[in-house]
Amino acid sequence: MPMLTTIRNSTLEATISTRGAELQSIRSADGISYLWNGDPAHWSGRAPILFPCVGALRDGRAVSEAGEIRLPKHGFARHMEWQLENVSDDRAAYRLDADDSTRVGYPYDFSLRAEYRLGERSVATILTVANTGSRTLPYCLGGHPAFHVPLAEGESFEDYLLEFEQPETADCPQVDLQHGLIMDTCRNRVLTESRTLPLNHALFRGDALIFDRLKSRSARLFSPKSGRGVRMDFAGLDIFAVWSPAQDAPFVALEPWNGSGTQVSEDDVFEHKQCLRRLAPGQEDTVSFTVTVF
């Protein structure tokens, strides 16, 4: 059975499960629950860690230097039981190591560590990948935390905005809804030299908005009406996706990625995926993103 651990400080409380090392809740001292509750009527996830792929491979398969790769959408890390390495009042760390079950579809040795640290009104997610094998390790890595929208009584989904730190001109690739591939040759203009995108459910009828050419490395999801929202800082991650299910769900996911689903212009060599990372044997690499609530 998965084990839940709660960390807290004077302003925030966060609960994490050993299943997927996934955040289960972020709650402020004034009683606001920010993280999506995992209601399966819309989406049973909350804040999965995406590894060793982000998005879908073409037909769930790819080839690599170590042999065939077979992975489900967003990889296997989110479905596995992780080891709780250590915990203190305001931080907790988890580890997932390669084993025979992971090598079946991903023939590489790795160690993946996830640490959560609370700040004054923030939760930092720190992800470290180590290559414990003898081959170069190719991988993608990302986060997928979702947040209640609306957060305050009397508000609607349409009261919320997505605001980037810099003006952006964004042409987001369409998504092949049948196969999950990224149609990078077919793009929709979402922003034109603007920082602000008003939200409505129709934006997500074609799946996620994938911002793969951003200047910004910070974005806010908030309501000018109540002043409630979250800010995500994601320096060191190349792609930023924003998603809400097509069935008018009351949440929005903010997803910082290194890597993405297979693009229609790409072949099926895993190492050719956009924004993929590589680690030499014995090396490790760390990325992080931080959610600040207000």
Side-chain angles (χ1 to χ4, degrees), residues 47-278:
I49 294 169
L50 316 181
F51 176 89
C53 68
V54 171
L57 302 177
R58 186 180 280 109
D59 298 323
R61 296 171 179 262
V63 296
S64 76
E65 294 174 0
E68 186 182 37
I69 286 178
R70 301 189 306 279
L71 291 171
K73 184 178 181 180
H74 291 324
F76 50 66
R78 61 190 178 134
H79 300 301
M80 298 189 71
E81 187 72 9
W82 294 46
Q83 178 183 342
L84 176 61
E85 262 195 334
N86 57 71
V87 62
S88 61
D89 289 345
D90 61 357
R91 62 185 60 191
Y94 298 80
R95 194 181 79 242
L96 178 69
D97 295 321
D99 61 19
D100 288 344
S101 70
T102 67
R103 295 186 192 101
V104 169
Y106 182 64
Y108 293 94
D109 288 328
F110 66 87
S111 182
L112 174 60
R113 189 173 191 266
E115 182 177 2
Y116 297 97
R117 298 179 188 172
L118 296 185
E120 184 177 350
R121 290 188 66 84
S122 65
V123 182
T125 301
I126 301 150
L127 303 173
T128 301
V129 181
N131 183 350
T132 58
S134 58
R135 296 176 175 270
T136 298
L137 178 71
Y139 67 94
C140 300
L141 181 66
H144 197 310
F147 305 95
H148 289 292
V149 176
L151 286 165
E153 291 287 339
E155 290 187 332
S156 69
F157 191 92
E158 289 76 15
D159 288 325
Y160 282 70
L161 308 173
L162 182 68
E163 182 182 77
F164 292 102
E165 65 175 336
Q166 299 183 48
E168 300 284 354
T169 295
D171 297 305
C172 294
Q174 296 177 22
V175 178
D176 177 343
L177 297 178
Q178 182 177 357
H179 303 100
L181 302 183
I182 308 302
M183 300 171 65
D184 54 311
T185 56
C186 300
R187 293 175 175 267
N188 296 329
R189 175 64 56 92
V190 176
L191 290 171
T192 303
E193 281 304 300
S194 176
R195 295 177 58 205
T196 303
L197 179 65
L199 293 189
N200 62 76
H201 289 295
L203 282 171
F204 305 105
R205 295 287 187 256
D207 210 311
L209 302 178
I210 300 171
F211 297 92
D212 54 359
R213 300 171 178 174
L214 285 180
K215 297 174 290 184
S216 300
R217 283 297 170 267
S218 177
R220 296 198 305 161
L221 170 68
F222 73 104
S223 165
K225 190 174 177 180
S226 66
R228 292 288 186 181
V230 299
R231 187 185 81 233
M232 179 176 283
D233 296 281
F234 51 95
L237 290 119
D238 301 310
I239 299 173
F240 184 67
V242 183
W243 173 72
S244 188
Q247 296 79 22
D248 295 1
F251 72 83
V252 172
L254 304 180
E255 308 178 36
W257 302 342
N258 281 328
S260 77
T262 298
Q263 299 183 113
V264 294
S265 65
E266 292 176 341
D267 59 23
D268 294 317
V269 177
F270 192 69
E271 287 86 352
H272 293 172
K273 290 174 63 61
Q274 71 162 337
C275 301
L276 175 135
R277 296 277 180 114
R278 295 171 182 254

Side-chain angles (χ1 to χ4, degrees), residues 26-43:
I26 301 172
R27 187 178 297 274
S28 61
D30 56 0
I32 301 297
S33 180
Y34 286 86
L35 198 71
W36 169 242
N37 61 18
D39 181 352
H42 294 289
W43 181 54

